[in-house]
């Protein structure tokens, strides 16, 4: 059965801190891994990763995938209060469906 | 470019009734997936449609069904509603089922009383 574990489950930091969110997965016939940010309702797409070792970057956010060790990390540098959200990772395997982790709830305090 | 549109945004239904939710994908996207989100279970996959065909189904009872039309719009139906069906229902669209970015709509908040 496909499995996704995100850690930590929740994290409280101060503005300006750097955070690293973890996602380990087990899916059959892995194809890609997607990261989302969910604030109130709709998860917002952040990254899609398909290849190991290639960092994807968008502003202060970056993410990398390790297909050998079956994990991905999402880094956020110089955090801001607007980064407060639940971050979800979702690997996609041969079944085509996205398998979501429970998410990491990030709280950034001023 | 318009995003994924879900209607209605909010719905209150009584146990035993049925409900139909609608999802209009981003223009050019032919794959639509549905998810149920509850505080305890997180995002659970319901089903996926591509070119009017259901390609994948999650572990939900037969009361949950869906379809996709030729314009890629999709509907999901829940019959004989139960209190436990109260949740946020999200749909996501992508150009293809695999290896393409998936974008979510705002969701439909269903409350069953």
């Amino acid at each position: 059965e496909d499995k996704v574990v995100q850690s930590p489950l929740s994290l409280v930091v101060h503005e300006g801190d750097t955070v690293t969110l973890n996602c380990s997965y087990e899916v059959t016939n892995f194809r890609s891994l997607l990261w989302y940010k969910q604030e109130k309702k709709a998860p917002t797409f952040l990254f899609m990763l398909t290849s190991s070792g290639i960092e994807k970057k968008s502003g202060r956010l970056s993410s990398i995938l390790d297909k050998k060790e079956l994990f991905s990390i999402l880094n956020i540098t110089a955090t801001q209060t607007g980064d407060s959200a639940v971050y979800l990772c979702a690997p996609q395997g041969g079944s085509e469906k996205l398998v979501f982790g429970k998410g990491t709830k990030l709280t950034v305090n001023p | 470019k318009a995003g994924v549109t879900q209607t209605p945004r909010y719905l209150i239904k009584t146990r035993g009734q049925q409900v139909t939710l609608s999802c209009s994908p981003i223009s050019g996207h032919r794959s639509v997936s549905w998810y149920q989100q509850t505080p305890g279970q997180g995002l659970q996959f319901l089903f996926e449609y591509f070119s009017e065909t259901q390609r994948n189904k999650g572990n939900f009872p037969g009361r949950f069904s869906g379809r996709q039309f030729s314009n890629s719009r999709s509907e999901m139906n829940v019959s004989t509603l139960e209190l436990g069906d109260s949740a946020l229902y999200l749909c996501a669209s992508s150009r293809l089922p695999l290896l393409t970015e998936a974008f979510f709509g705002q969701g439909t908040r269903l409350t069953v009383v």
Side-chain angles (χ1 to χ4, degrees):
Chain A
E1 188 182 322
D2 295 337
K3 196 163 78 168
V4 183
V5 177
Q6 289 189 246
S7 63
L9 286 180
S10 106
L11 193 52
V12 180
V13 300
H14 291 291
E15 266 192 317
D17 288 350
T18 293
V19 298
T20 298
L21 310 182
N22 304 292
C23 173
S24 64
Y25 63 88
E26 291 176 33
V27 297
T28 307
N29 295 327
F30 174 87
R31 304 298 179 96
S32 66
L33 186 143
L34 283 70
W35 281 96
Y36 290 88
K37 175 184 181 184
Q38 187 173 28
E39 291 174 89
K40 296 230 170 106
K41 281 212 175 164
T44 305
F45 173 81
L46 294 175
F47 299 109
M48 183 176 77
L49 304 160
T50 56
S51 302
S52 272
I54 298 174
E55 186 183 52
K56 291 235 174 164
K57 224 170 145 50
S58 176
R60 296 175 294 100
L61 276 67
S62 64
S63 185
I64 199 159
L65 175 68
D66 185 327
K67 291 199 312 191
K68 185 178 171 196
E69 300 297 331
L70 307 182
F71 76 88
S72 174
I73 59 172
L74 175 69
N75 280 318
I76 309 174
T77 59
T79 50
Q80 302 171 355
T81 54
D83 295 328
S84 295
V86 175
Y87 290 84
L88 299 162
C89 80
Q92 186 181 44
S95 68
E96 299 177 2
K97 63 182 182 181
L98 292 173
V99 181
F100 281 86
K102 299 273 191 226
T104 292
K105 182 176 178 181
L106 174 66
T107 304
V108 182
N109 290 323
Chain B
K1 193 171 176 178
V4 181
T5 304
Q6 288 188 247
T7 56
R9 296 287 303 275
Y10 302 91
L11 208 46
I12 300 175
K13 289 285 189 179
T14 306
R15 264 183 306 175
Q17 287 186 310
Q18 76 161 13
V19 67
T20 299
L21 313 181
S22 177
C23 173
S24 293
I26 292 169
S27 176
H29 286 196
R30 291 161 59 199
S31 177
V32 174
S33 298
W34 288 89
Y35 296 83
Q36 181 195 66
Q37 188 172 35
T38 56
Q41 296 296 318
L43 269 154
Q44 302 283 305
F45 173 79
L46 281 157
F47 20 68
E48 179 216 347
Y49 289 89
F50 177 70
S51 293
E52 301 178 68
T53 301
Q54 186 182 86
R55 292 170 64 88
N56 219 334
K57 192 175 189 323
N59 295 326
F60 279 82
R63 301 184 296 107
F64 290 80
S65 63
R67 57 180 176 166
Q68 186 179 35
F69 301 96
S70 58
N71 62 358
S72 295
R73 190 177 72 85
S74 177
E75 285 181 349
M76 69 162 277
N77 184 75
V78 188
S79 62
T80 320
L81 284 165
E82 300 176 1
L83 294 179
D85 297 333
S86 295
L88 179 66
Y89 290 87
L90 291 159
C91 85
S93 82
S94 57
R95 283 190 302 109
L96 298 169
L98 280 170
L99 294 171
T100 56
E101 301 153 358
F103 298 91
F104 282 86
Q106 289 296 311
T108 294
R109 170 73 63 189
L110 171 65
T111 302
V112 183
V113 297

